[in-house]
Amino acid sequence: MSSRGGAVSDGPAAIGLSGARDGPGRRHMQQIQRARILVATAQAAYEFGARYLTVANVLERAGVSRRTFYELFDDCEDCLLAAIEDSMERAGRRMRGAYETAPGAWRGRTRASLTALLGFFDEHPCAAHLLIVEW
């Protein structure tokens, strides 16, 4: 639950990592930790605003160590930019998929793409906040 009221649906499952435990390798674990940090960054930015984002805010939500954070990111700004890029990529994939599969001419395909974007924003309010408010 966020301080803005309502449930926050952005989580590891939002970026395709629910149940991702198929390998014990370090690279796999780093991918999971990176995803958790990106989700936590989006949640913290949603709650506090990017201007007031701190590594401590992110770590509290991500459940990873400070050392892990700095193994993956240079600083809080680097992490915030990565979270924005991740949100843009996920929104873009959703829009491209809708555009490419929609029947009809340009206008109908564009409408489907924009509808998909709004659906993405509805499902992922933290990502929406990053892309619309913070970026």
Side-chain angles (χ1 to χ4, degrees), residues 22-117:
D22 60 344
R26 179 167 171 74
R27 179 172 158 78
H28 181 73
M29 184 55 72
Q30 282 183 327
Q31 289 173 335
I32 291 171
Q33 290 171 328
R34 185 177 192 280
R36 290 176 62 183
I37 291 169
L38 294 179
V39 168
T41 300
Q43 290 171 342
Y46 181 78
E47 187 173 344
F48 301 110
R51 183 176 182 180
Y52 301 104
L53 188 67
T54 65
V55 173
N57 296 142
V58 173
L59 296 179
E60 181 180 324
R61 285 156 187 75
V64 300
S65 70
R66 188 170 290 270
R67 178 180 177 188
T68 298
F69 179 90
Y70 284 109
E71 286 175 355
L72 298 169
F73 301 100
D74 293 336
D75 53 28
C76 203
E77 182 179 358
D78 181 39
C79 184
L80 178 62
L81 291 174
I84 290 169
E85 288 174 5
D86 177 70
S87 295
M88 287 174 49
E89 176 60 32
R90 292 187 296 127
R93 277 196 310 266
R94 177 82 66 94
M95 292 175 70
R96 276 189 303 279
Y99 184 88
E100 291 169 357
T101 59
W106 177 86
R107 185 176 297 203
R109 297 177 108 189
T110 300
R111 182 177 292 120
S113 181
L114 292 173
T115 300
L117 177 63

